[in-house]
Amino acid sequence: MTSQWLSAFKVVGIYLLVGVLWILFSDKILEITIEDARLVNRLQTLKGWIYVAVTGGLLFVLINRALEAIENVSRLDPLTMLLRHQLFHDRLEDLVVASTEANSLGLIYLDIDHFSAINNKIGIKNADLLLRDFANALREHSRGSARIARISTDQFAIALPGIASAEVAEAQAQELRRLLRKTGLHFHVEAHCSIGIAIAPMDGKTAKALMAAASNALNTAKKSNRSGIVFFNQEVSRHESERQELLYDLSVAIERKTLLLVYQPQFSTADLSLCGVEVLLRWQHPVHGFISPDIFIPIAEKNMLISKLTAFVIEQSYTELAPMLGKEIHRVSINVSALEFSSPALMKALLLHIESQKNYIQYLQLEITETAAISNLGGSVELVAHLRQKGLRLSLDDFGTGFSSLSMLKDLSVDEIKIDRSFVFNLETQPRTQAIITALVGIANNFQISIVAEGVETQAQRQLLHELGCHELQGYLLAPPKPLDQLCSSIEQVRQVHGALS
């Protein structure tokens, strides 16, 4: 109240000062410069009108500034300078009206988890700075396309026009979580959040309805799972909840090393001698049963768990195969994801894991997909050369599925290429496919590259691949992926059964 009185006194003081100075000096100037009394009277009248105009203009400026300050206080949050609830509602209404099924509007409600604990840990002043910095990060991230509001102490609303799907909204929510965590680290705290998402016009055709939907989704997220993401739409929410549950269970499985490894042998086409094994990862979920790698690998990549998965494969396979290395097994192939292959930091971590396993590097072969290699061919050439200098072999997986398969061989110095199973499947009835494999074998022989055919399932395929000059075979005809305790017996069985057919 004291500051308000002080501001009022300042305004009145300025007004009185201007008035007094005007009266004193204007009268004095008229007395000195003009002797005609009638003219003085006229100028006195004009001087009065000028005074009214000047003071009126002064009052207009002072009142306008005061009203602007009042409006900013009521419509903008003074700490973050983000929109407050009412102004956000008004802006959101226009966006909701413009939204369509094909051009949806996503509304994200974000609540910082355990903010009172953060307050207690770093103090109120630093907590306010954290909120301000996070608001600035939100603004920088949106770059004007979004509408952002602070709707309570630790709660923010972000309206995102042009959302193509729930997956896009979820990806944006994940990015906001990363922004908050990054902001928190500047203040030496782990900052997490719960998020509710509503999508217009599906979840609401007015700003009020959409905000209520996002708020309901946020409340569900806060009650059911801190640091979770919940959609208001039940089907989308159920799907996202299942994905979040799998993500949590996967991180636990990695931590507790409950994932399983299986090994698929690779045999010489000529005499079915063992050439090597490919290591494959399996997850037997305690509730849902077998979870396909096609499901959990993308989840791991999307949530930065892929490096931990690969580290587990390297360490566990070395532990299991160590007694057989250099004896029964001379080559071990491990898959490297496109995300890892394209990230210098992840590849550096991968090499550290490999080098931590004594003498393992001389037996290892890294399998990279053709798509990953051609996405940045120049970088791939340098990386492959570096890995080979370290003593690693390189295999190009799924060969033939990309758009520049043959041309990349002249630049990419790999040790092996694996013909994709889609070529093998119709091999017997596709003369052109046979011609492609024949040409590929010729090129590979000149480059001293080994050719492995994946997905061999029939004796006819095996025989034809042998005639075409393919070097190695891999597939269910010879041996499906097996746990270590069944690997040796599986290899011996191949020698006895299929060797007799040769």
Side-chain angles (χ1 to χ4, degrees), residues 60-76 81:
F60 173 80
V61 172
L62 294 173
I63 292 171
N64 186 59
R65 287 185 178 180
L67 290 175
E68 284 182 353
I70 293 170
E71 184 177 7
N72 284 339
V73 168
S74 63
R75 296 167 73 85
L76 296 179
M81 297 308 293

Side-chain angles (χ1 to χ4, degrees), residues 450-463:
S450 179
I451 300 287
V452 181
E454 293 185 288
V456 181
E457 297 182 354
T458 69
Q459 190 68 27
Q461 289 172 351
R462 174 201 161 189
Q463 183 61 36

Side-chain angles (χ1 to χ4, degrees), residues 247-279:
L247 172 60
Y248 174 77
D249 292 344
L250 179 59
S251 63
V252 171
I254 296 171
E255 189 70 27
R256 297 178 180 175
K257 298 184 177 181
T258 56
L259 296 165
L260 303 174
L261 296 184
V262 293
Y263 303 89
Q264 186 166 33
Q266 297 162 330
F267 298 94
S268 167
T269 308
D271 59 6
L272 293 182
S273 60
L274 181 68
C275 299
V277 295
E278 180 180 0
V279 185

Side-chain angles (χ1 to χ4, degrees), residues 245-466:
E245 179 186 343
L246 280 182
L247 172 60
Y248 174 77
D249 292 344
L250 179 59
S251 63
V252 171
I254 296 171
E255 189 70 27
R256 297 178 180 175
K257 298 184 177 181
T258 56
L259 296 165
L260 303 174
L261 296 184
V262 293
Y263 303 89
Q264 186 166 33
Q266 297 162 330
F267 298 94
S268 167
T269 308
D271 59 6
L272 293 182
S273 60
L274 181 68
C275 299
V277 295
E278 180 180 0
V279 185
L280 300 168
L281 191 60
R282 296 291 183 262
W283 184 18
Q284 192 69 23
H285 193 280
V287 176
H288 304 295
F290 176 75
I291 305 293
S292 170
D294 292 339
I295 294 176
F296 71 81
I297 294 296
I299 291 176
E301 288 184 320
K302 194 173 184 179
N303 294 275
M304 301 307 292
L305 286 178
I306 194 65
S307 184
K308 290 184 178 181
L309 269 184
T310 307
F312 169 80
V313 171
I314 291 169
E315 294 169 9
Q316 188 67 19
S317 64
Y318 179 70
T319 300
E320 294 181 1
L321 296 176
M324 304 173 67
L325 294 175
K327 300 172 184 176
E328 295 89 348
I329 296 175
H330 297 275
R331 190 183 71 215
V332 180
S333 297
I334 290 177
N335 292 282
V336 176
S337 75
L339 178 65
E340 285 178 288
F341 189 72
S342 61
S343 167
L346 293 181
M347 286 305 296
K348 182 178 180 181
L350 175 65
L351 279 173
L352 289 175
H353 286 305
I354 292 173
E355 291 170 345
S356 68
Q357 311 302 309
K358 185 179 179 182
N359 299 324
Y360 200 18
I361 195 167
Q362 63 181 306
Y363 303 106
L364 275 182
Q365 176 172 270
L366 302 184
E367 289 194 10
I368 58 174
T369 63
E370 179 188 359
T371 305
I374 64 176
S375 62
N376 177 15
L377 187 56
S380 297
V381 170
E382 294 180 7
L383 179 56
V384 166
H386 174 68
L387 294 174
R388 290 185 56 139
Q389 287 176 358
K390 289 284 186 179
L392 285 163
R393 289 172 53 89
L394 274 296
S395 173
L396 202 56
D397 198 8
D398 299 336
F399 193 81
T401 59
F403 298 101
S404 57
S405 303
L406 292 177
S407 64
M408 70 190 299
L409 289 180
K410 67 182 176 64
D411 299 313
L412 209 59
S413 300
V414 296
D415 301 279
E416 173 187 283
I417 57 178
K418 300 182 76 173
I419 300 173
D420 186 68
R421 63 185 65 248
S422 62
F423 281 79
V424 177
F425 181 71
N426 293 321
L427 183 62
E428 302 157 66
T429 58
Q430 295 289 334
R432 290 192 174 188
T433 301
Q434 297 174 25
I436 290 172
I437 293 178
T438 300
L440 182 59
V441 168
I443 294 171
N445 286 336
N446 287 327
F447 288 167
Q448 296 183 325
I449 298 174
S450 179
I451 300 287
V452 181
E454 293 185 288
V456 181
E457 297 182 354
T458 69
Q459 190 68 27
Q461 289 172 351
R462 174 201 161 189
Q463 183 61 36
L464 190 50
L465 287 165
H466 176 53

Side-chain angles (χ1 to χ4, degrees), residues 35-59:
E35 296 180 355
D36 188 340
R38 293 176 63 187
L39 182 58
V40 169
N41 286 334
R42 290 178 182 176
L43 290 174
Q44 286 282 9
T45 302
L46 178 61
K47 182 168 67 73
W49 285 112
I50 293 173
Y51 175 74
V52 170
V54 170
T55 55
L58 179 62
L59 282 174

